Amino acid sequence: MTEDVNTTCRPTPEARRQQILDAACDCVRQAGFHGASMAEIAKTASLSVGQIYRYFENKEAIIAAIVAQDLAEMREKFAEMESRPGDLIDAMTEHLPDAIDKCFDLRRASLTLEVLAEASRNPKVAAILQAADAQERVYAQAMLDRSRRPEWSDAEFEARCEAVGLLFDGMIIRAVNHPDTDREPLARVLIATIRQLLS
């Protein structure tokens, strides 16, 4: 006699949260922040609105979770670069082609630009993004401090780090305005620029 086994497994809370976040990202890309209602997010996730609210208080909480994921990914990448032997700038430039591809990922770029547009109108979303940016700058400056010249003042060092950030933020806009950019020569120029800024 064989025993019937129920193979249906309930998603873990983490998997359910990710299901909601993925659905929210799709909705924001397609309809913008305001057009992405909780009802539409629930429909895209094949859940009820009530289920969404069990995990997220509102859309701002969903945005905060998406931003937190990006920060965690960035921390992991920084840790990987810092752990490599040799020159830190060499490690950074080695990862640059992948970073360019990520910036030119139109799905990622469109989501980032939608959230930034909402931040310009919504103080709660602005606060989420500004707090994340502050953390990102702390991580980046701690990592780049290894290449800092003694003659640089704190203000100059921070400005140089900010300029590196501008390069990557700007590529997100270029992903929309000029998606067919030839990335190989772009990578070479960016490597030279970053070396000039940080060494």
Side-chain angles (χ1 to χ4, degrees), residues 40-198:
E40 191 61 33
I41 293 170
K43 180 180 177 182
T44 303
S46 300
L47 299 170
S48 69
V49 173
Q51 286 175 298
I52 301 289
Y53 280 114
R54 287 179 198 166
Y55 293 90
F56 298 100
E57 180 182 0
N58 49 39
K59 283 193 289 185
E60 285 84 0
I62 292 175
I63 293 297
I66 293 168
V67 170
Q69 281 187 336
D70 285 345
L71 271 175
E73 184 180 326
M74 181 204 65
R75 281 196 301 270
E76 184 178 329
K77 186 59 68 177
F78 281 176
E80 182 183 340
M81 287 188 288
E82 284 190 296
S83 68
R84 292 178 63 87
D87 186 84
L88 180 61
I89 296 179
D90 286 339
M92 287 179 62
T93 55
E94 184 178 319
H95 284 84
L96 193 59
D98 287 340
I100 292 172
D101 286 342
K102 186 175 290 186
C103 289
F104 274 86
D105 179 345
L106 193 56
R107 283 174 53 82
R108 189 182 185 98
S110 63
L111 178 64
T112 299
L113 294 173
E114 286 289 353
V115 174
L116 284 169
E118 180 62 21
S120 70
R121 300 181 292 263
N122 184 329
K124 291 181 180 178
V125 175
I128 292 167
L129 293 189
Q130 288 165 11
D133 185 76
Q135 288 184 53
E136 183 176 344
R137 281 184 280 115
V138 168
Y139 299 142
Q141 288 176 15
M143 183 181 72
L144 297 173
D145 191 59
R146 285 168 48 183
S147 303
R148 178 176 175 172
R149 287 185 179 178
E151 65 268 23
W152 290 347
S153 67
D154 288 345
E156 180 171 357
F157 175 64
E158 289 172 12
R160 287 173 180 267
C161 292
E162 187 74 8
V164 173
L166 288 170
L167 294 172
F168 289 94
D169 288 348
M171 279 192 283
I172 294 171
I173 296 173
R174 301 306 296 164
V176 176
N177 290 347
H178 190 196
D180 297 327
T181 297
D182 190 341
R183 300 178 196 179
E184 189 174 331
L186 176 63
R188 290 197 297 269
V189 171
L190 284 175
I191 288 168
T193 303
I194 290 171
R195 286 188 178 280
Q196 181 66 31
L197 284 168
L198 297 178

